[in-house]
Amino acid sequence: MLQRRLVVLRGILRSEEVYLRQLDALLTPMKALWASAGTSQPVLSSQEVQTVFYQVPEIRDMHQSFSSGLKARLSGWDRTGSGSALPPQVNQLGLYGGFIGNYKEAVEVVRRCSQADVRFRTLAESMMPNDSSEGKYTFEALLYQPLDRVTKTTLVLRDVLKATPDEHGDRVPLQEALRLSRSFLAGVNESSLSRREVTLSHAMTRRLVRDGFVVDASEGERSLRHLFLFTDLLLCTRFKHAARGKQDHYRFCWYLPLARLKLRWAAEPHPPDLRLHAIRSKMYLLRQQEAERKLRMSRVQKASRILAARGRKKLEQMELMLLTHSPRYRLELHSSTAGTHLLLFSSLYDLEEWRAAIHQLTTDGGSAGIETVPPDLLTLTGSCVKLRMTQQPPLRSAGAAEDEDALCGTLGVAVHAARGLQQPACVYVCLEVDGYASHHQQAQTHSSVLGLNPHWDQELCFQVDGAQSLKVVCVSQGEGQQDDAVLAKTWVQLDPKTIDEGWRRQTLSLGQVKLAVSLRFRPHLVGPPTLASQEQPVFGVPLEAVARQEGGLVPHVVRCCVEEVERRGMDEVGIYRVSGAAQDIGTLKATFHTSLREAVAGLRSAEVNVVSGLLKLYFRELPEPLVPTRLFHSLAQMLDIQEVETRLGSMVTILQSCPEPNRNTFLYLLHHLQRVSEKQATNKMSLMNLATVFGPSLLRPPVAGPGQDAVPVDISQEVVVQVQVIFWFLQCRHLPEARTSLQPDSDYFSFFT
């Protein structure tokens, strides 16, 4: 038996040497990352470095000491010792408790930074132990080794104990070590995989895949619930705080087997809500009071601590109310055997993570492979306290301290274009920022025209307080009865050291989809929240005002109508000449004042002549025509120039004096009309026909105000000038390209001025 014991111990020593090389490989970049953290462009922040390598050096030292002791004893093997080196290692297993408790956060930092920084990604994907024969490891694989190691400790001790005779002096210490190890595993942190499994009645294993807090609206009222996703079922519970000295517990609400479970998600309309606005305003005031108390802390420290605790408690209550009543993304769960339940989410990103996790479990191996035997609900619910990976609802106010790296001020995000779609789709992009929820944290672009390479060139603005990340979700808008579908998602870390008041363009990788965006941030104290309003008026509003509120140079209504006409109206006979139904045009116009997304969907289903009629109506209702009235006479004089190239050059020069939104919208329209005329053999719309239709809407003579003189223009001459000016512009084949988005130095970002 002692010879067998020697074989076991030598196997342990070889395993320890491999493990030490893995720990050394994991620790190799730590010194460089610490040095980088103090520079202007760190790979990881100091806090991130501390999180990633938490307890790893101590674990390495512990195993180095154990390995050295075991090696020395084996070199002087006398068939009497060696085992006594094991109990000290087990006595220090508490180090692993801290590592396991931090493991999930460390992995999240590695994954996040791998996406955000190519330098760290290169490092994380190829790490080499000292012995190159072991090959390369990813950072995440090395980080998993201590977690894997602690689960093997009990097995190792058991093997050594089996090979140790009853009369051996190490027998009692090894038995105590095994007891301590088993006790440690039984009470290990919730992140340990060993605590996320439950054995089913017929040798199958039920494992916890995901858990978190959601809003349950199954019974008509919104309630915050703790949801657990196991490999074979969904369990909804209600968390109950226990009295002091007793253990917390969960109460069963409902469960759904995953077999044949059907999912459907949708976004609820979100009109202005006075109740939510009142909650956000109260949260803002509490945050202001907390900041003032911190300034007075040194003078009345004890009293301030008491008031601060009360303030944080109130803030948590407000945040819980907001967390319960603000979610608008619906996830419907239907089971043919257990009924239907409705869950609500504040974040589309989080909803998609839940949906994808459930979908993967219901499709991997087919529904037949999913456990359908009803579980012991009482036992399963009772085990949730030990199984849970999420302790508390995601309350920002419950944090211990403010993060200095969080953003506070105005964040601008410009969404430009995407590529990499596998099939044509109408796509919109949802953006979500974190931080204190006293301000609105979500926005989305309009839906693009159907195609493989959607583009938006749309700027969205957030007032952020404590923001650290930006979540991005690309969604394909369903047509008719089809549901919207999430195409891809990602998230970006918001670092004040890398984002400033100048636009910084970057390409985000969302799997196969590549999304071009620009970010900009201006730090300042955030003001009180404003009540979310309906879409701002579009029709009858000066073009520059629309540019300011939309953050672009060409209004969305113009771009959407043009894209829709070019998608399916280029061969329509009399396009822009034949008018659509006035009632349908009026309905679409009203929709643009309430919901841009619904308006774009309406354009897609409307007759193409209704779409073209809406575009003409927009230009007719502009308070100031697209070509400013002050340029009317100058352009009219250009018509007298006989030399064609000189005439066109002079007209384009005059156009440069237009305001930037007017000039680019006019150019955008001219290029579109030129493309329409290229199909005149089919649609019968020549350049002259198009100039006749649009001339009176785009160009008008000035009107004399009270006490002002104006050059009178004969009505017949006015029409001739309007048509001829537009006609000659359309004949110009060297028109400047139109810009739809603002340049980094533009003054039209009202939220940055």
Side-chain angles (χ1 to χ4, degrees):
M1 180 176 283
L2 287 176
Q3 187 61 35
R4 179 186 171 191
R5 185 167 183 266
L6 177 61
V7 172
V8 170
L9 292 175
R10 284 175 175 171
I12 292 174
L13 181 60
R14 287 193 296 271
S15 175
E16 281 290 308
E17 289 172 347
V18 172
Y19 181 45
L20 282 170
R21 287 196 294 270
Q22 292 170 341
L23 291 176
D24 287 337
L26 179 59
L27 290 170
T28 298
M30 184 177 70
K31 185 176 180 180
L33 289 173
W34 271 118
S36 168
T39 65
S40 59
Q41 292 184 329
V43 178
L44 298 181
S45 68
S46 299
Q47 181 62 44
E48 288 171 337
V49 175
Q50 183 176 356
T51 299
V52 169
F53 296 100
Y54 183 71
Q55 296 285 39
V56 177
E58 291 81 357
I59 290 174
R60 193 263 177 205
D61 292 343
M62 178 185 74
H63 279 272
Q64 180 63 60
S65 175
F66 164 66
S67 178
S68 299
L70 181 59
K71 187 175 183 179
R73 293 174 185 275
L74 288 177
S75 63
W77 175 258
D78 59 1
R79 297 177 179 268
T80 61
S82 313
S84 56
L86 289 170
Q89 177 199 358
V90 177
N91 290 333
Q92 299 180 60
L93 273 177
L95 289 175
Y96 276 99
F99 176 87
I100 297 172
N102 180 71
Y103 174 76
K104 182 180 178 182
E105 187 176 353
V107 170
E108 288 176 352
V109 171
V110 170
R111 291 175 178 174
R112 181 174 70 246
C113 295
S114 295
Q115 289 183 347
D117 193 316
V118 66
R119 298 172 298 172
F120 186 80
R121 180 164 62 250
T122 302
L123 169 70
E125 291 176 350
S126 180
M127 298 181 69
M128 186 83 71
N130 293 332
D131 185 355
S132 59
S133 63
E134 295 175 35
K136 295 180 179 180
Y137 289 81
T138 64
F139 205 125
E140 190 171 338
L142 286 174
L143 204 57
Y144 178 75
Q145 295 307 314
L147 192 65
D148 181 61
R149 193 71 179 179
V150 72
T151 61
K152 294 178 180 178
T153 301
T154 301
L155 299 177
V156 169
L157 289 171
R158 187 181 61 187
D159 290 342
V160 176
L161 189 60
K162 286 182 179 179
T164 302
D166 292 342
E167 67 277 8
H168 197 282
D170 287 344
R171 181 78 182 182
V172 174
L174 282 170
Q175 288 176 331
E176 178 63 11
L178 182 60
R179 185 191 67 79
L180 289 173
S181 179
R182 285 173 172 169
S183 176
F184 175 77
L185 288 178
V188 78
N189 186 279
E190 63 273 4
S191 297
S192 172
L193 297 177
S194 64
R195 294 185 55 197
R196 293 166 56 186
E197 297 184 351
V198 175
T199 303
L200 300 180
S201 57
H202 50 286
M204 291 184 65
T205 299
R206 173 180 293 131
R207 184 174 61 87
L208 178 63
V209 177
R210 182 183 180 89
D211 74 310
F213 287 85
V214 301
V215 175
D216 178 25
S218 303
E219 298 179 358
E221 294 185 0
R222 296 185 176 215
S223 302
L224 194 63
R225 298 289 184 250
H226 200 152
L227 190 67
F228 294 84
L229 173 62
F230 293 91
T231 45
D232 64 325
L233 61 87
L234 264 174
L235 176 67
C236 182
T237 66
R238 180 159 59 102
F239 180 66
K240 297 291 291 182
H241 280 289
R244 182 174 298 180
K246 296 185 179 180
Q247 188 178 28
D248 295 336
H249 64 280
Y250 286 92
R251 290 187 178 178
F252 171 79
C253 292
W254 51 262
Y255 95 97
L256 291 175
L258 296 188
R260 295 177 293 279
L261 185 66
K262 296 181 179 179
L263 307 177
R264 181 184 180 186
W265 76 269
E268 293 183 335
H270 52 110
D273 191 316
L274 293 176
R275 180 185 182 187
L276 296 182
H277 177 66
I279 294 174
R280 289 190 172 98
S281 299
K282 181 65 174 177
M283 288 178 63
Y284 173 79
L285 290 175
L286 289 171
R287 285 271 294 147
Q288 296 298 106
Q289 293 171 6
E290 182 180 7
E292 293 175 1
R293 276 194 293 269
K294 287 182 178 179
L295 293 177
R296 301 194 303 265
M297 183 69 78
S298 58
R299 284 175 284 175
V300 282
Q301 195 167 15
K302 184 176 180 181
S304 293
R305 280 200 299 266
I306 296 174
L307 291 174
R310 291 176 181 173
R312 281 194 296 271
K313 187 67 175 178
K314 290 181 180 179
L315 194 58
E316 287 182 24
Q317 293 172 351
M318 294 292 104
E319 201 170 354
L320 272 173
M321 292 177 64
L322 199 62
L323 187 65
T324 304
H325 296 286
S326 65
R328 68 182 192 89
Y329 293 105
R330 303 160 51 94
L331 181 61
E332 297 178 6
L333 309 166
H334 176 71
S335 170
S336 57
T337 59
T340 300
H341 291 275
L342 175 63
L343 302 177
L344 300 177
F345 294 81
S346 300
S347 164
L348 178 58
Y349 187 98
D350 293 343
L351 181 148
E352 175 58 18
E353 291 213 320
W354 275 98
R355 189 208 63 78
I358 296 172
H359 180 72
Q360 183 177 2
L361 290 173
T362 56
T363 54
D364 284 359
S367 297
I370 299 175
E371 169 64 19
T372 58
V373 177
D376 181 346
L377 296 175
L378 184 61
T379 301
L380 185 61
T381 305
S383 68
C384 287
V385 172
K386 291 184 178 181
L387 294 172
R388 61 183 176 177
M389 295 177 282
T390 305
Q391 294 279 357
Q392 298 292 338
L395 302 180
R396 186 59 185 268
S397 54
E402 296 288 335
D403 193 324
E404 295 181 356
D405 291 333
L407 302 188
C408 181
T410 300
L411 175 68
V413 184
V415 183
H416 301 299
R419 56 184 173 84
L421 269 64
Q422 300 302 301
Q423 58 186 12
C426 301
V427 181
Y428 60 93
V429 179
C430 293
L431 303 177
E432 303 171 351
V433 294
D434 60 359
Y436 287 94
S438 53
H439 292 77
H440 298 283
Q441 298 174 299
Q442 297 174 335
Q444 69 181 45
T445 67
H446 63 80
S447 183
S448 70
V449 70
L450 184 69
L452 284 172
N453 299 301
H455 66 276
W456 302 272
D457 281 329
Q458 185 174 352
E459 286 81 19
L460 304 171
C461 171
F462 299 92
Q463 296 295 311
V464 295
D465 184 7
Q468 294 177 299
S469 66
L470 170 70
K471 295 178 179 178
V472 183
V473 185
C474 285
V475 185
S476 172
Q477 186 170 5
E479 293 193 22
Q481 299 299 317
Q482 294 181 341
D483 296 332
D484 293 359
V486 173
L487 299 176
K489 60 181 176 62
T490 190
W491 66 284
V492 182
Q493 183 178 9
L494 300 176
D495 187 348
K497 298 183 181 68
T498 59
I499 308 176
D500 53 31
E501 296 190 33
W503 287 102
R504 293 202 177 189
R505 189 172 178 124
Q506 57 184 293
T507 300
L508 304 181
S509 179
L510 295 79
Q512 294 182 330
V513 178
K514 308 299 180 184
L515 182 68
V517 301
S518 296
L519 299 181
R520 177 178 181 176
F521 172 67
R522 181 169 67 89
H524 60 81
L525 293 177
V526 179
T530 57
L531 183 62
S533 61
Q534 300 283 349
E535 295 285 343
Q536 295 294 320
V538 175
F539 286 76
V541 177
L543 197 63
E544 290 191 72
V546 175
R548 287 180 179 275
Q549 69 191 31
E550 292 184 352
L553 292 175
V554 180
H556 296 325
V557 62
V558 175
R559 293 165 55 188
C560 292
C561 288
V562 165
E563 289 172 350
E564 196 60 31
V565 169
E566 294 193 359
R567 185 171 75 92
R568 56 189 177 94
M570 300 294 274
D571 295 327
E572 182 76 16
V573 176
I575 187 69
Y576 289 119
R577 179 173 55 81
V578 177
S579 181
Q583 182 176 356
D584 293 342
I585 293 174
T587 301
L588 266 180
K589 171 188 171 181
T591 308
F592 267 96
H593 287 177
T594 56
S595 171
L596 178 60
R597 182 181 172 192
E598 292 180 12
V600 173
L603 284 177
R604 201 164 293 128
S605 59
E607 292 185 2
V608 72
N609 287 325
V610 171
V611 178
S612 63
L614 184 72
L615 182 62
K616 292 188 294 182
L617 178 63
Y618 175 77
F619 289 122
R620 283 201 306 272
E621 292 192 355
L622 283 175
E624 171 80 358
L626 189 59
V627 180
T629 56
R630 59 182 172 80
L631 302 181
F632 181 88
H633 293 295
S634 299
L635 289 170
Q637 292 172 4
M638 296 302 104
L639 298 177
D640 295 332
I641 300 176
Q642 298 302 313
E643 210 282 318
V644 173
E645 292 300 325
T646 303
R647 177 191 302 171
L648 293 177
S650 300
M651 292 175 67
V652 172
T653 300
I654 292 175
L655 189 62
Q656 298 303 314
S657 64
C658 287
E660 200 172 6
N662 296 60
R663 181 175 70 254
N664 284 281
T665 302
F666 185 51
L667 290 171
Y668 185 85
L669 179 65
L670 290 176
H671 284 293
H672 164 64
L673 296 180
Q674 287 177 341
R675 291 189 291 270
V676 171
S677 71
E678 291 173 0
K679 298 271 190 174
Q680 61 178 302
T682 304
N683 59 37
K684 310 302 181 186
M685 293 302 293
S686 64
L687 291 179
M688 180 55 74
N689 287 342
L690 292 168
T692 303
V693 171
F694 279 93
S697 300
L698 304 179
L699 179 65
R700 296 194 291 270
V703 178
Q708 295 180 338
D709 294 328
V711 179
V713 180
D714 181 77
I715 185 64
S716 59
Q717 184 64 26
E718 175 186 328
V719 174
V720 170
V721 172
Q722 291 169 331
V723 173
Q724 286 296 314
V725 167
I726 302 303
F727 175 68
W728 281 105
F729 270 121
L730 287 173
Q731 288 197 95
C732 181
R733 293 300 169 180
H734 303 289
L735 288 171
E737 289 296 324
R739 289 191 295 106
T740 58
S741 61
L742 296 167
Q743 294 299 309
D745 57 351
S746 174
D747 292 331
Y748 287 100
F749 284 108
S750 59
F751 44 81
F752 283 107
T753 57

